[in-house]
């Protein structure tokens, strides 16, 4: 056969590279609405926070809930989705010592309903192992409301703590 010119890439390598670039481009395109969160994570100095899971409760009003995590630049907005009235959120670099993207609190009738920490795809295992280490074996398994996602769960004094059992196949999809 014919010898390719020096420095030429084999056809199979060109095809593999094209496939990888196409997958990367599609992943970014289908996740465009969340790319700003990753941009902040990688380019800005974000705060670290401690979420006091044992102290959070549905009896807390917005002022008490936000005060439970002082020093964070919370942004609160009116939110009429999913039976919520207000949502407060902030970007964060680390939560309870582990990688995180954001933390959000959801309120209904002035009371705390849900606290969500978005964990980056690559940190899901670390976050899950930390919860097992800190709170013991999961006390329940279930599904997220309106979703097929399986959850691991723990009972806390003021409610429940849960994390997705599995990370997504999409590396830009975070766990909560």
């Amino acid at each position: 056969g014919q010898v390719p010119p020096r420095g030429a890439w084999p056809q199979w390598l060109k095809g593999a590279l094209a496939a990888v670039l196409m997958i990367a481009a599609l992943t970014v395109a289908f996740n465009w609405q969340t790319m700003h969160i990753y941009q902040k994570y990688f380019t800005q100095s974000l705060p670290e926070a401690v979420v006091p899971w044992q102290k959070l409760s549905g009896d807390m009003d917005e002022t008490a809930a936000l005060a439970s995590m002082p020093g964070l630049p919370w942004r609160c907005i009116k939110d009429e989705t999913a039976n919520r009235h207000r949502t407060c959120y902030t970007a964060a670099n680390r939560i309870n010592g582990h990688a995180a993207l954001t933390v959000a609190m959801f309120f209904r009738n002035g009371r705390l309903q849900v606290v969500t920490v978005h964990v980056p795809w690559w940190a899901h295992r670390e976050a899950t192992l930390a919860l097992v280490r800190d709170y013991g074996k999961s006390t329940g398994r279930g599904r997220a409301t309106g979703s097929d996602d399986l959850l691991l769960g723990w009972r806390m004094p003021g409610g429940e703590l849960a994390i997705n059992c599995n990370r997504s196949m999409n590396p830009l999809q975070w766990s909560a």
Side-chain angles (χ1 to χ4, degrees), residues 3 7 31 33-34 39 45 55 70-71 73 90 92 118 142 147-148 153 172:
V3 176
N31 293 280
Q33 69 279 7
T34 60
Q39 182 267 333
S45 177
K55 295 179 182 176
T90 187
H118 294 125
S147 171
D148 288 332
L172 295 178

Side-chain angles (χ1 to χ4, degrees), residues 5-26:
R6 186 178 173 119
W9 291 16
Q11 196 63 32
W12 69 267
L13 185 57
K14 288 179 185 178
L17 183 58
V20 168
L21 290 174
M22 180 63 76
I23 290 168
L26 288 172

Side-chain angles (χ1 to χ4, degrees), residues 22-71:
M22 180 63 76
I23 290 168
L26 288 172
T27 300
V28 169
F30 287 120
N31 293 280
W32 191 251
Q33 69 279 7
T34 60
M35 293 306 293
H36 68 283
I37 294 170
Y38 289 98
Q39 182 267 333
K40 278 184 181 179
Y41 182 84
F42 288 114
T43 64
Q44 295 180 17
S45 177
L46 298 173
E48 293 188 22
V50 173
V51 177
W53 296 117
Q54 300 272 8
K55 295 179 182 176
L56 295 174
S57 164
D59 295 329
M60 298 174 102
D61 64 12
E62 185 177 317
T63 302
L66 296 178
S68 73
M69 292 181 251

Side-chain angles (χ1 to χ4, degrees), residues 146-165:
S147 171
D148 288 332
D149 293 339
L150 284 175
L151 302 174
L152 295 175
W154 294 265
R155 295 232 178 260
M156 296 286 127
E160 295 181 11
L161 172 61
I163 190 168
N164 296 77
C165 283

Side-chain angles (χ1 to χ4, degrees), residues 90 104 107 109 119 129 163:
T90 187
F107 299 90
N109 297 324
V119 177
L129 291 174
I163 190 168

Side-chain angles (χ1 to χ4, degrees), residues 48-115:
E48 293 188 22
V50 173
V51 177
W53 296 117
Q54 300 272 8
K55 295 179 182 176
L56 295 174
S57 164
D59 295 329
M60 298 174 102
D61 64 12
E62 185 177 317
T63 302
L66 296 178
S68 73
M69 292 181 251
L72 295 176
W74 292 103
R75 179 169 183 220
C76 297
I77 58 171
K78 184 177 180 177
D79 182 359
E80 295 296 332
T81 61
N83 279 331
R84 298 181 181 123
H85 295 153
R86 283 185 52 84
T87 297
C88 297
Y89 61 94
T90 187
N93 185 20
R94 298 183 75 70
I95 301 288
N96 295 0
H98 303 286
L101 298 168
T102 62
V103 59
M105 294 190 197
F106 303 97
F107 299 90
R108 180 171 168 76
N109 297 324
R111 298 288 173 212
L112 182 63
Q113 266 195 314
V114 174
V115 177

